[in-house]
Amino acid sequence: MKNKISVPIKTVKIKKIYKNPWLSLEEHQVITPDNKKGVYGVLDYGDGVSVLATDGDDIFLIKEYKYAIKKFSFLLPSGSVNKNETPLQSAKKELLEEGGLKASKWTFLGTTHPFPTNITTTVYLYLTRDVKQVQKPEAGVSLYKFSISKVKKMIDQNKITHSGSLVCLLKYFYEKK
């Protein structure tokens, strides 16, 4: 049974709450499809990238402290898409900065929206092959190389929780079948 909705939610009013160079927060007054008033907090954090760098059957992960969750986290090299860059340019930059890595082969794996109810961010996902380390990772970042089976165990053990990394790895694992 399909429920056809032509305009699921109507925006009535937008109030700007907060803005800094990295994000903005708005309050949206809305009318829902069943004609009820509602409110959404909408965070615009900008777009991002996550890069799955491989060396044969091994996968590179970084580990760094994530301030908002107050703990160290394993993830793929990831970061923001700057206004003057394409997602691919940003992916190459993040791979070099966070991992000290360069790659010759790049494959676009698609996109993900980590929390689409309230956050506008699109994360662009890339796979790289033939990766070479050309410099040290940036300060505060450690680089690791793990087998696919180890990465799967880390996911099972909730050691990798970053959404862009998880979606990128999922797409890669399905490709490997």
Side-chain angles (χ1 to χ4, degrees):
M1 176 186 233
K2 291 185 180 181
N3 185 7
K4 272 190 159 181
I5 301 173
S6 59
V7 180
I9 299 172
K10 180 181 176 188
T11 303
V12 177
K13 182 179 177 183
I14 298 174
K15 179 180 175 185
K16 304 225 183 262
I17 304 294
Y18 176 79
K19 184 174 182 168
N20 70 31
W22 302 277
L23 61 89
S24 66
L25 176 63
E26 299 173 339
E27 179 181 278
H28 290 215
Q29 300 293 325
V30 300
I31 304 291
T32 64
D34 56 356
N35 214 27
K36 293 181 182 175
K37 291 181 181 181
V39 64
Y40 280 93
V42 177
L43 179 64
D44 183 354
Y45 188 71
D47 292 338
V49 294
S50 287
V51 182
L52 198 169
T54 62
D55 181 19
D57 282 336
D58 292 329
I59 295 171
F60 289 94
L61 294 177
I62 62 168
K63 185 178 183 181
E64 65 181 331
Y65 187 78
K66 293 299 184 182
Y67 180 80
I69 61 172
K70 304 286 190 240
K71 65 182 186 177
F72 284 92
S73 182
F74 281 103
L75 63 151
L76 300 176
S78 301
S80 298
V81 175
N82 293 330
K83 300 243 185 269
N84 60 343
E85 293 177 328
T86 66
L88 180 58
Q89 289 170 328
S90 294
K92 289 179 178 182
K93 178 191 71 176
E94 291 298 333
L95 184 66
L96 182 61
E97 289 176 359
E98 293 191 345
L101 303 169
K102 280 195 173 184
S104 60
K105 296 178 183 176
W106 289 81
T107 304
F108 178 63
L109 295 178
T111 61
T112 188
H113 298 96
F115 195 64
T117 299
N118 296 94
I119 300 177
T120 63
T121 298
T122 298
V123 178
Y124 296 85
L125 309 172
Y126 291 92
L127 169 65
T128 65
R129 300 182 195 279
D130 298 332
V131 177
K132 303 225 181 316
Q133 187 160 15
V134 297
Q135 66 187 40
K136 290 182 180 179
E138 67 186 358
V141 178
S142 299
L143 180 67
Y144 296 84
K145 185 162 74 166
F146 296 114
S147 67
I148 290 173
S149 62
K150 174 67 174 172
V151 170
K152 287 179 178 180
K153 284 179 188 170
M154 292 171 75
I155 292 169
D156 290 343
Q157 296 167 345
N158 212 34
K159 291 182 179 177
I160 302 172
T161 60
H162 178 258
S163 62
S165 297
L166 290 169
V167 174
C168 206
L169 287 162
L170 176 69
K171 287 178 173 266
Y172 178 68
F173 294 154
Y174 273 104
E175 174 194 84
K176 294 292 285 178
K177 280 190 167 185

Short mmCIF file of all heavy atoms in Angstrom, two decimals, residues 65-104:
data_model
loop_
_atom_site.label_atom_id
_atom_site.label_comp_id
_atom_site.label_asym_id
_atom_site.label_seq_id
_atom_site.Cartn_x
_atom_site.Cartn_y
_atom_site.Cartn_z
N TYR A 65 40.72 11.75 18.25
CA TYR A 65 39.79 12.13 19.31
C TYR A 65 38.68 12.97 18.70
O TYR A 65 38.93 13.94 17.98
CB TYR A 65 40.52 12.93 20.39
CG TYR A 65 39.66 13.23 21.59
CD1 TYR A 65 39.42 12.24 22.54
CD2 TYR A 65 39.10 14.48 21.78
CE1 TYR A 65 38.64 12.50 23.65
CE2 TYR A 65 38.31 14.75 22.89
CZ TYR A 65 38.08 13.76 23.82
OH TYR A 65 37.31 14.01 24.92
N LYS A 66 37.43 12.59 19.00
CA LYS A 66 36.26 13.31 18.50
C LYS A 66 35.65 14.08 19.67
O LYS A 66 35.10 13.50 20.60
CB LYS A 66 35.25 12.35 17.87
CG LYS A 66 35.78 11.71 16.59
CD LYS A 66 36.09 12.77 15.58
CE LYS A 66 36.53 12.23 14.25
NZ LYS A 66 36.87 13.29 13.31
N TYR A 67 35.76 15.37 19.60
CA TYR A 67 35.39 16.24 20.72
C TYR A 67 33.94 16.07 21.16
O TYR A 67 33.66 15.95 22.35
CB TYR A 67 35.67 17.70 20.35
CG TYR A 67 35.31 18.65 21.46
CD1 TYR A 67 36.17 18.83 22.53
CD2 TYR A 67 34.10 19.33 21.45
CE1 TYR A 67 35.83 19.68 23.57
CE2 TYR A 67 33.75 20.18 22.48
CZ TYR A 67 34.62 20.36 23.54
OH TYR A 67 34.28 21.18 24.57
N ALA A 68 33.00 16.07 20.24
CA ALA A 68 31.58 16.05 20.61
C ALA A 68 31.19 14.78 21.37
O ALA A 68 30.35 14.84 22.26
CB ALA A 68 30.70 16.22 19.37
N ILE A 69 31.80 13.65 21.03
CA ILE A 69 31.46 12.40 21.72
C ILE A 69 32.46 12.07 22.82
O ILE A 69 32.32 11.06 23.50
CB ILE A 69 31.30 11.21 20.75
CG1 ILE A 69 32.59 10.92 19.99
CG2 ILE A 69 30.12 11.46 19.80
CD1 ILE A 69 32.55 9.65 19.15
N LYS A 70 33.49 12.89 22.96
CA LYS A 70 34.47 12.79 24.04
C LYS A 70 35.19 11.44 24.09
O LYS A 70 35.39 10.86 25.15
CB LYS A 70 33.83 13.08 25.41
CG LYS A 70 33.13 14.41 25.50
CD LYS A 70 34.12 15.54 25.58
CE LYS A 70 33.43 16.85 25.91
NZ LYS A 70 33.59 17.85 24.91
N LYS A 71 35.58 10.93 22.92
CA LYS A 71 36.37 9.69 22.90
C LYS A 71 37.13 9.56 21.59
O LYS A 71 36.82 10.23 20.60
CB LYS A 71 35.49 8.48 23.15
CG LYS A 71 34.45 8.17 22.11
CD LYS A 71 33.64 6.95 22.55
CE LYS A 71 32.69 6.51 21.49
NZ LYS A 71 31.96 5.30 21.88
N PHE A 72 38.11 8.66 21.60
CA PHE A 72 38.85 8.35 20.38
C PHE A 72 37.97 7.46 19.50
O PHE A 72 37.20 6.64 20.00
CB PHE A 72 40.17 7.64 20.71
CG PHE A 72 41.22 8.57 21.21
CD1 PHE A 72 41.37 8.79 22.57
CD2 PHE A 72 42.04 9.24 20.33
CE1 PHE A 72 42.33 9.66 23.05
CE2 PHE A 72 43.02 10.12 20.80
CZ PHE A 72 43.16 10.33 22.17
N SER A 73 38.11 7.64 18.20
CA SER A 73 37.26 6.92 17.26
C SER A 73 38.08 6.44 16.07
O SER A 73 38.94 7.16 15.56
CB SER A 73 36.16 7.88 16.78
OG SER A 73 35.27 7.24 15.91
N PHE A 74 37.81 5.20 15.64
CA PHE A 74 38.35 4.70 14.38
C PHE A 74 37.39 5.09 13.27
O PHE A 74 36.17 4.95 13.41
CB PHE A 74 38.47 3.17 14.39
CG PHE A 74 39.66 2.65 15.13
CD1 PHE A 74 39.53 2.11 16.39
CD2 PHE A 74 40.92 2.70 14.54
CE1 PHE A 74 40.63 1.62 17.07
CE2 PHE A 74 42.03 2.20 15.21
CZ PHE A 74 41.89 1.66 16.48
N LEU A 75 37.92 5.56 12.16
CA LEU A 75 37.10 5.92 11.01
C LEU A 75 37.96 5.98 9.76
O LEU A 75 39.19 5.90 9.83
CB LEU A 75 36.39 7.26 11.24
CG LEU A 75 37.26 8.50 11.40
CD1 LEU A 75 36.51 9.73 10.90
CD2 LEU A 75 37.61 8.70 12.87
N LEU A 76 37.32 6.10 8.63
CA LEU A 76 38.03 6.35 7.39
C LEU A 76 38.43 7.81 7.35
O LEU A 76 37.78 8.65 7.99
CB LEU A 76 37.12 6.05 6.20
CG LEU A 76 36.59 4.63 6.07
CD1 LEU A 76 35.62 4.53 4.91
CD2 LEU A 76 37.72 3.62 5.92
N PRO A 77 39.48 8.17 6.61
CA PRO A 77 39.78 9.59 6.45
C PRO A 77 38.53 10.31 5.93
O PRO A 77 37.93 9.90 4.93
CB PRO A 77 40.92 9.59 5.41
CG PRO A 77 41.60 8.27 5.63
CD PRO A 77 40.46 7.32 5.94
N SER A 78 38.16 11.35 6.65
CA SER A 78 36.89 12.04 6.35
C SER A 78 37.03 13.51 6.70
O SER A 78 37.84 13.89 7.55
CB SER A 78 35.75 11.44 7.18
OG SER A 78 35.58 10.07 6.92
N GLY A 79 36.22 14.32 6.06
CA GLY A 79 36.25 15.75 6.38
C GLY A 79 35.24 16.52 5.56
O GLY A 79 34.39 15.95 4.87
N SER A 80 35.37 17.83 5.61
CA SER A 80 34.44 18.75 4.96
C SER A 80 34.80 18.99 3.51
O SER A 80 35.96 18.94 3.12
CB SER A 80 34.43 20.10 5.68
OG SER A 80 34.01 19.94 7.00
N VAL A 81 33.78 19.30 2.72
CA VAL A 81 33.97 19.77 1.36
C VAL A 81 34.01 21.29 1.44
O VAL A 81 33.02 21.92 1.83
CB VAL A 81 32.83 19.32 0.42
CG1 VAL A 81 33.01 19.94 -0.97
CG2 VAL A 81 32.78 17.81 0.33
N ASN A 82 35.16 21.87 1.13
CA ASN A 82 35.27 23.32 1.16
C ASN A 82 34.52 23.94 0.00
O ASN A 82 34.35 23.31 -1.05
CB ASN A 82 36.75 23.74 1.13
CG ASN A 82 37.48 23.35 2.38
OD1 ASN A 82 36.89 23.26 3.46
ND2 ASN A 82 38.77 23.08 2.26
N LYS A 83 34.10 25.17 0.17
CA LYS A 83 33.28 25.86 -0.84
C LYS A 83 33.96 25.94 -2.20
O LYS A 83 33.32 25.90 -3.22
CB LYS A 83 32.93 27.26 -0.35
CG LYS A 83 32.15 27.27 0.94
CD LYS A 83 30.79 27.86 0.77
CE LYS A 83 30.08 27.98 2.09
NZ LYS A 83 29.28 26.84 2.43
N ASN A 84 35.29 26.05 -2.23
CA ASN A 84 36.01 26.18 -3.49
C ASN A 84 36.53 24.86 -4.05
O ASN A 84 37.35 24.86 -4.95
CB ASN A 84 37.18 27.18 -3.32
CG ASN A 84 38.16 26.71 -2.26
OD1 ASN A 84 37.85 25.84 -1.45
ND2 ASN A 84 39.34 27.29 -2.26
N GLU A 85 36.05 23.73 -3.51
CA GLU A 85 36.53 22.42 -3.94
C GLU A 85 35.37 21.53 -4.39
O GLU A 85 34.26 21.65 -3.89
CB GLU A 85 37.22 21.69 -2.78
CG GLU A 85 38.50 22.31 -2.30
CD GLU A 85 39.07 21.57 -1.09
OE1 GLU A 85 38.31 21.02 -0.28
OE2 GLU A 85 40.31 21.57 -0.97
N THR A 86 35.69 20.60 -5.29
CA THR A 86 34.74 19.55 -5.61
C THR A 86 34.85 18.49 -4.52
O THR A 86 35.86 18.43 -3.80
CB THR A 86 35.07 18.90 -6.97
OG1 THR A 86 36.33 18.22 -6.85
CG2 THR A 86 35.12 19.93 -8.10
N PRO A 87 33.85 17.62 -4.39
CA PRO A 87 33.99 16.53 -3.42
C PRO A 87 35.25 15.69 -3.64
O PRO A 87 35.92 15.32 -2.67
CB PRO A 87 32.70 15.73 -3.61
CG PRO A 87 31.70 16.74 -4.05
CD PRO A 87 32.50 17.66 -4.96
N LEU A 88 35.60 15.39 -4.88
CA LEU A 88 36.79 14.59 -5.15
C LEU A 88 38.06 15.33 -4.70
O LEU A 88 38.96 14.73 -4.11
CB LEU A 88 36.89 14.20 -6.62
CG LEU A 88 38.11 13.36 -7.01
CD1 LEU A 88 38.17 12.06 -6.21
CD2 LEU A 88 38.10 13.07 -8.51
N GLN A 89 38.15 16.62 -4.96
CA GLN A 89 39.30 17.39 -4.51
C GLN A 89 39.41 17.35 -2.98
O GLN A 89 40.49 17.19 -2.43
CB GLN A 89 39.21 18.84 -4.99
CG GLN A 89 39.43 19.01 -6.47
CD GLN A 89 39.08 20.42 -6.95
OE1 GLN A 89 38.18 21.08 -6.43
NE2 GLN A 89 39.80 20.87 -7.98
N SER A 90 38.27 17.49 -2.32
CA SER A 90 38.26 17.43 -0.85
C SER A 90 38.66 16.05 -0.36
O SER A 90 39.39 15.92 0.64
CB SER A 90 36.87 17.79 -0.31
OG SER A 90 36.56 19.13 -0.60
N ALA A 91 38.20 14.99 -1.03
CA ALA A 91 38.56 13.62 -0.65
C ALA A 91 40.07 13.42 -0.75
O ALA A 91 40.69 12.84 0.15
CB ALA A 91 37.81 12.62 -1.52
N LYS A 92 40.67 13.88 -1.83
CA LYS A 92 42.12 13.75 -2.01
C LYS A 92 42.86 14.53 -0.92
O LYS A 92 43.86 14.05 -0.37
CB LYS A 92 42.53 14.22 -3.40
CG LYS A 92 42.08 13.27 -4.50
CD LYS A 92 42.47 13.78 -5.87
CE LYS A 92 42.04 12.78 -6.95
NZ LYS A 92 42.45 13.21 -8.30
N LYS A 93 42.37 15.72 -0.61
CA LYS A 93 42.99 16.54 0.43
C LYS A 93 42.90 15.86 1.80
O LYS A 93 43.88 15.79 2.53
CB LYS A 93 42.31 17.91 0.48
CG LYS A 93 42.85 18.83 1.56
CD LYS A 93 41.98 20.04 1.75
CE LYS A 93 40.72 19.57 2.40
NZ LYS A 93 39.73 20.42 2.80
N GLU A 94 41.73 15.33 2.14
CA GLU A 94 41.55 14.67 3.45
C GLU A 94 42.41 13.41 3.56
O GLU A 94 42.97 13.14 4.61
CB GLU A 94 40.07 14.32 3.68
CG GLU A 94 39.18 15.53 3.89
CD GLU A 94 39.54 16.37 5.11
OE1 GLU A 94 40.11 15.83 6.09
OE2 GLU A 94 39.24 17.58 5.09
N LEU A 95 42.50 12.64 2.48
CA LEU A 95 43.33 11.44 2.50
C LEU A 95 44.78 11.81 2.78
O LEU A 95 45.46 11.15 3.57
CB LEU A 95 43.20 10.69 1.17
CG LEU A 95 43.95 9.36 1.09
CD1 LEU A 95 43.37 8.34 2.06
CD2 LEU A 95 43.92 8.82 -0.34
N LEU A 96 45.26 12.87 2.16
CA LEU A 96 46.64 13.31 2.36
C LEU A 96 46.84 13.88 3.77
O LEU A 96 47.79 13.52 4.46
CB LEU A 96 47.02 14.35 1.30
CG LEU A 96 48.46 14.86 1.37
CD1 LEU A 96 49.46 13.71 1.17
CD2 LEU A 96 48.67 15.96 0.34
N GLU A 97 45.95 14.76 4.21
CA GLU A 97 46.10 15.38 5.52
C GLU A 97 45.97 14.37 6.66
O GLU A 97 46.82 14.32 7.54
CB GLU A 97 45.05 16.49 5.72
CG GLU A 97 45.28 17.72 4.89
CD GLU A 97 44.18 18.75 5.03
OE1 GLU A 97 43.19 18.51 5.76
OE2 GLU A 97 44.29 19.80 4.39
N GLU A 98 44.89 13.60 6.64
CA GLU A 98 44.60 12.72 7.77
C GLU A 98 45.40 11.41 7.75
O GLU A 98 45.70 10.87 8.80
CB GLU A 98 43.11 12.42 7.85
CG GLU A 98 42.30 13.64 8.20
CD GLU A 98 40.87 13.35 8.53
OE1 GLU A 98 40.38 12.24 8.23
OE2 GLU A 98 40.21 14.23 9.11
N GLY A 99 45.70 10.93 6.56
CA GLY A 99 46.43 9.66 6.47
C GLY A 99 47.84 9.78 5.96
O GLY A 99 48.62 8.83 6.06
N GLY A 100 48.18 10.93 5.37
CA GLY A 100 49.48 11.06 4.72
C GLY A 100 49.56 10.21 3.47
O GLY A 100 50.63 9.83 3.02
N LEU A 101 48.37 9.92 2.88
CA LEU A 101 48.27 8.97 1.78
C LEU A 101 47.89 9.65 0.47
O LEU A 101 47.15 10.64 0.46
CB LEU A 101 47.22 7.91 2.10
CG LEU A 101 47.43 7.10 3.38
CD1 LEU A 101 46.18 6.29 3.70
CD2 LEU A 101 48.64 6.20 3.26
N LYS A 102 48.38 9.08 -0.62
CA LYS A 102 47.96 9.46 -1.97
C LYS A 102 47.54 8.19 -2.70
O LYS A 102 48.07 7.12 -2.44
CB LYS A 102 49.09 10.14 -2.74
CG LYS A 102 49.27 11.59 -2.40
CD LYS A 102 50.13 12.28 -3.42
CE LYS A 102 50.16 13.77 -3.12
NZ LYS A 102 50.90 14.51 -4.14
N ALA A 103 46.61 8.35 -3.63
CA ALA A 103 46.11 7.21 -4.39
C ALA A 103 46.03 7.56 -5.86
O ALA A 103 45.79 8.71 -6.22
CB ALA A 103 44.74 6.80 -3.87
N SER A 104 46.21 6.55 -6.69
CA SER A 104 46.16 6.77 -8.14
C SER A 104 44.81 6.43 -8.75
O SER A 104 44.46 6.95 -9.80
CB SER A 104 47.26 5.97 -8.83
OG SER A 104 47.08 4.59 -8.57
#
